[in-house]
Amino acid sequence: MDVNKQPILELKNISKNFRSIQALQHVDFDLVEGEVHALVGENGAGKSTLMRILAGIYTEYEGSYYLDGKEIQFHSPHDALEHGIGMIHQELSVIPELSVAENLFLGRQPVTRWGIIDWRSMEQVAQKELHSLGFDIDVTMPLERFSLGTQQVIEVFRAILSGARVLVMDEPTSALSPAEVKQLIELVKTLKSQGRSIIYISHFLEEVVQVADRTTVLRNGVSVGTLDSQEATVDRLIGLMLGREITRSTHPEEIGSEYQETLLEIKDLNADVFSDINLNVKRGEILGLYGPIGAGHFDLARALFGLYKFDSGSIILDGKTFPHGHSARYAIENGLAYATESRRKSLLLDDAIYRNITMPHLSKIGTLAPQRAKELAAAVPAIQQVNVNPPDPLNPVGKLSGGNQQKVAIARWLTFPPKVFIMSEPTRGMDVGAKSEVLGLLRKFRDEGYGVIVASSEPETILAVCDRIVVMSRGRIVSRLENKNLDKDALMRLI
Ligand SMILES: Nc1ncnc2c1ncn2[C@@H]1O[C@H](COP(=O)(O)OP(=O)(O)OP(=O)(O)O)[C@@H](O)[C@H]1O
Ligand SMILES: [Mg+2]
């Protein structure tokens, strides 16, 4: 990076609080033309808040903001975009039913001189733009036909087509498969080579050290340092993020179960998206279901819990055969717990943390007064066990950072522990510290004699905790392995 270049954008001495929470304190951040500046930090460190200020979403803050050396204040995201700053959020804002071209021009479709939407020129421009960046996509197809990774790419293009020269990407890869991540990283590099400037937020530090020219670390709302690419290693970033050392375990210390008893048996399970699934989970073991998004493992997890229809086969938990077409309520009452990969669907974001935790257990807690006191008494130990931060049980879940929301989704099942935990992407969107805490929790469940199923597309997560691994591809089991002497590449090759 050319250090003599003037920053195109500078945030100076930024502070922001949400009532009692000091989300940012005196943070300085700048961006130079043509650089990738990464922003990392634990869940709740303040990354999204800082970027929301930058992108005109939060208009109330202390400190000053300069664009091309001139002080400025944005009044809305639209205003920020008019000045060339586009933000790509983790939750996609594209519309799946519309075509790629329509999505790209959403809200600003070109019109002919007769005042009607000019489809032809829209499609031509879209096709040409995508092609120039190395993407050969039929822009007339509905967006939903494409993978999540491609949809994410479209989201990026949309910002570019609206004239963004600064792109803010908040955890763009957290829901993508490894191949899609590669594609996106390549795109970031291409955009950079075209002179665009990018702010890149991610919990995948390997990715960060690959793409970033500089990396700024936030800890508890304070900027604790900016490293350039020669200085930034994964371990140094972790040290700065946490202010302490953690043991990054890449493999379970010991594998193999001391129990022999089978807890869960799945026989010949078939549905539209998976077939011939035969599996069992022993007491005291973690079974990994590994595969790319679309491999059927997430739907299989849902089917076990009664949320996805299967056509034939049987599910036997602790000797008891589930009736065909069982409900989620039945699954809960008989000892299954399930945390979905899409957190936002399973949490009531406006409701208090404690309500989110007690929600599936109200029939056990009872609904007689003192209702709230009983619910709090049930929820608080679970909140402590997973270390939700901040731990106030009355706080709405929506006010927590992404990683802490995920902890609530897990804590929910600790009030009345099940026999088998099924978790899809248990660590998606979590920082290294939170990740190691959650993986630690899964090991603890195992050691206490529960059965655990982890469905994931992240090889790191699977390798870090699973005793046995079942690899799925296109709805079928393609391989079964003990987690011994395996590495990420070996695992990825199996799909
Ligand atoms: N709208 C809000 N109301 C109240 N508190 C908020 C709000 N948004 C964020 N916070 C709090 O501000 C702090 C910073 O949150 P922020 O979302 O910026 O973290 P983050 O670094 O993006 O975390 P993650 O990696 O989990 O996404 C957290 O303590 C969070 O609980
Ligand atoms: Mg965030």
Side-chain angles (χ1 to χ4, degrees), residues 61-200:
Y61 55 87
E62 286 160 44
S64 32
Y65 186 160
Y66 301 84
L67 186 67
D68 294 317
K70 285 194 211 78
E71 186 158 7
I72 194 165
Q73 174 122 46
F74 296 140
H75 303 291
S76 67
H78 183 75
D79 196 9
L81 194 55
E82 300 251 285
H83 286 86
I85 292 158
M87 181 152 176
I88 291 121
H89 297 270
Q90 187 184 350
E91 271 74 33
L92 295 174
S93 61
V94 285
I95 301 175
E97 295 80 13
L98 296 185
S99 76
V100 172
E102 283 171 298
N103 268 288
L104 285 172
F105 288 96
L106 215 59
R108 350 165 257 105
Q109 294 92 335
V111 288
T112 63
R113 62 195 158 109
W114 313 112
I116 51 174
I117 292 182
D118 187 352
W119 292 101
R120 266 200 57 199
S121 86
M122 195 161 100
E123 283 162 5
Q124 274 168 3
V125 172
Q127 198 86 55
K128 199 172 124 246
E129 289 284 335
L130 283 165
H131 204 82
S132 76
L133 288 155
F135 287 84
D136 205 5
I137 293 171
D138 181 353
V139 299
T140 60
M141 300 263 279
L143 192 65
E144 62 193 348
R145 301 273 188 85
F146 296 94
S147 69
L148 209 57
T150 303
Q151 297 188 24
Q152 181 72 271
V153 165
I154 300 299
E155 182 102 36
V156 174
F157 283 131
R158 189 164 72 175
I160 294 171
L161 285 175
S162 354
R165 60 175 177 142
V166 171
L167 288 168
V168 180
M169 300 188 181
D170 194 350
E171 296 190 46
T173 58
S174 64
L176 305 187
S177 68
E180 292 170 333
V181 170
K182 250 196 190 137
Q183 183 184 39
L184 197 80
I185 298 236
E186 284 312 310
L187 176 62
V188 168
K189 290 182 180 162
T190 310
L191 293 172
K192 181 186 131 141
S193 71
Q194 296 178 340
R196 282 181 227 269
S197 318
I198 293 157
I199 302 174
Y200 193 86

Side-chain angles (χ1 to χ4, degrees), residues 211-394:
V211 291
D213 297 298
R214 288 189 297 161
T215 304
T216 291
V217 182
L218 286 182
R219 191 199 309 155
N220 289 330
V222 176
S223 168
V224 291
T226 298
L227 305 181
D228 60 36
S229 58
Q230 291 94 326
E231 307 167 298
T233 61
V234 172
D235 286 318
R236 269 197 83 177
L237 291 177
I238 293 176
L240 275 175
M241 277 170 62
L242 306 184
R244 63 185 150 89
E245 297 291 311
I246 61 151
T247 42
R248 266 205 298 156
S249 61
T250 48
H251 276 78
E253 299 88 68
E254 66 217 67
I255 62 161
S257 166
E258 43 187 287
Y259 304 89
Q260 286 307 317
E261 186 190 338
T262 297
L263 260 186
L264 179 67
E265 259 185 285
I266 298 160
K267 289 187 188 160
D268 302 318
L269 213 61
N270 286 289
D272 53 354
V273 290
F274 53 77
S275 35
D276 304 327
I277 304 294
N278 285 285
L279 287 178
N280 56 58
V281 183
K282 278 187 276 191
R283 186 180 285 290
E285 86 168 340
I286 305 180
L287 176 76
L289 296 179
Y290 171 68
I293 290 164
H297 50 336
F298 298 136
D299 297 315
L300 173 60
R302 260 188 278 280
L304 298 179
F305 194 65
L307 295 177
Y308 195 90
K309 189 177 144 292
F310 59 92
D311 304 325
S312 61
S314 44
I315 301 171
I316 305 154
L317 179 62
D318 212 5
K320 188 167 179 180
T321 304
F322 281 17
H324 193 92
H326 69 278
S327 63
R329 166 93 1 237
Y330 180 93
I332 296 172
E333 276 161 10
N334 286 281
L336 281 187
Y338 168 68
T340 159
E341 69 279 14
S342 55
R343 200 160 53 221
R344 289 190 170 264
K345 282 194 195 138
S346 74
L347 294 170
L348 302 170
L349 296 177
D350 296 331
D351 272 7
I353 295 175
Y354 84 92
R355 298 250 20 175
N356 272 277
I357 291 179
T358 53
M359 188 166 66
H361 311 296
L362 291 177
S363 62
K364 289 196 184 110
I365 294 172
T367 47
L368 293 173
Q371 175 67 17
R372 187 169 136 124
K374 282 191 293 186
E375 286 189 46
L376 279 169
V380 167
I383 292 173
Q384 288 166 347
Q385 225 179 320
V386 299
N387 209 355
V388 175
N389 181 26
D392 181 359
L394 304 179

Side-chain angles (χ1 to χ4, degrees), residues 247-252 443 459-465 483 486:
T247 42
R248 266 205 298 156
S249 61
T250 48
H251 276 78
R443 293 189 192 106
E460 294 87 353
T461 300
I462 292 283
L463 289 170
V465 287
N483 188 3
L486 274 176

Side-chain angles (χ1 to χ4, degrees), residues 293 298 340-341 406 423-428 455-458 461:
I293 290 164
F298 298 136
T340 159
E341 69 279 14
Q406 177 73 337
M423 309 224 174
S424 291
E425 296 298 13
T427 60
R428 177 180 286 175
S456 177
S457 313
E458 289 178 19
T461 300

